[in-house]
């Protein structure tokens, strides 16, 4: 019986550590760690011909996080989620670069090969975490620019 309880506890802990479910319908701003955070997203595909490896459908992103109260240094960006139609792509880890310009403004930058349709907008979500609390901030209907 003790073995069953131990396995159940382990499974419950694993479920508790998972990513918080995404709510694409939520509005901005979002409050985390007493800071009200807004997101402004710019994404583009570089259409210039490149020498060497294929550069098709590499999506570049500059996602600006703003807060009048200041963003706490313990705030983390867990994952970038991009949705177009029924497709969802997750970008995380070393593929996401965090740049701090001031205590009130951070940039999340990425480059990721995504097979999306550049003529259609995307929805972008960032999962933020701080001291065990998680929240999603969402930008809907972001146009995908083409750079020539």
């Amino acid at each position: 019986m003790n073995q069953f309880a131990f396995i159940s506890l382990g499974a419950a802990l694993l479920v508790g550590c998972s990513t918080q479910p995404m709510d694409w319908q939520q509005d901005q701003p979002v409050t985390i760690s007493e800071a009200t955070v807004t997101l402004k997203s710019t994404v583009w595909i570089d259409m210039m011909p490149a020498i060497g490896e294929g550069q098709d459908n590499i999506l570049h992103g500059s996602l600006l996080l703003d807060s009048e109260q200041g963003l706490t240094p313990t705030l983390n960006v867990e994952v970038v989620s991009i949705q177009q139609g029924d497709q969802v792509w997750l970008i995380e880890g070393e593929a996401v670069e965090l740049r701090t310009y001031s205590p009130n403004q951070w940039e999340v930058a990425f480059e990721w090969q995504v097979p999306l349709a550049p003529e259609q907008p995307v929805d972008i979500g960032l999962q933020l975490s701080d001291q065990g609390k998680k929240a999603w901030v969402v930008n809907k209907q972001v146009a995908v620019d083409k750079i020539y």
Side-chain angles (χ1 to χ4, degrees):
M1 186 66 171
N2 286 343
Q3 187 177 17
F4 177 76
F6 182 72
I7 291 171
S8 297
L9 176 63
L13 289 174
L14 285 175
V15 170
C17 294
S18 66
T19 302
Q20 177 184 355
M22 169 59 119
D23 179 10
W24 288 107
Q25 302 306 315
Q26 72 185 31
D27 291 323
Q28 287 199 68
V30 66
T31 301
I32 187 166
S33 298
E34 300 179 17
T36 303
V37 181
T38 59
L39 173 65
K40 182 177 184 212
S41 303
T42 304
V43 292
W44 67 95
I45 294 177
D46 187 350
M47 304 300 284
M48 290 293 291
I51 299 173
E53 295 182 24
Q55 299 277 328
D56 294 341
N57 289 330
I58 294 183
L59 185 68
H60 301 261
S62 173
L63 315 176
L64 294 177
L65 293 171
D66 281 310
S67 175
E68 290 184 15
Q69 297 87 0
L71 298 163
T72 177
T74 57
L75 184 70
N76 291 310
V77 175
E78 298 289 322
V79 65
V80 176
S81 182
I82 300 172
Q83 178 183 24
Q84 187 179 62
D86 293 336
Q87 295 288 323
V88 176
W89 299 276
L90 300 177
I91 306 168
E92 56 192 338
E94 292 181 14
V96 178
E97 181 181 348
L98 184 61
R99 303 170 184 159
T100 56
Y101 297 118
S102 74
N104 299 61
Q105 188 176 63
W106 294 3
E107 178 188 23
V108 178
F110 66 87
E111 292 180 7
W112 196 257
Q113 190 161 3
V114 179
L116 56 79
E119 61 280 348
Q120 297 177 9
V122 296
D123 297 333
I124 298 176
L126 288 180
Q127 186 181 42
L128 306 174
S129 69
D130 188 27
Q131 301 175 3
K133 296 180 182 176
K134 295 184 180 189
W136 284 96
V137 60
V138 176
N139 226 183
K140 295 184 269 189
Q141 298 296 303
V142 176
V144 179
D145 296 325
K146 295 178 196 168
I147 307 298
Y148 292 95

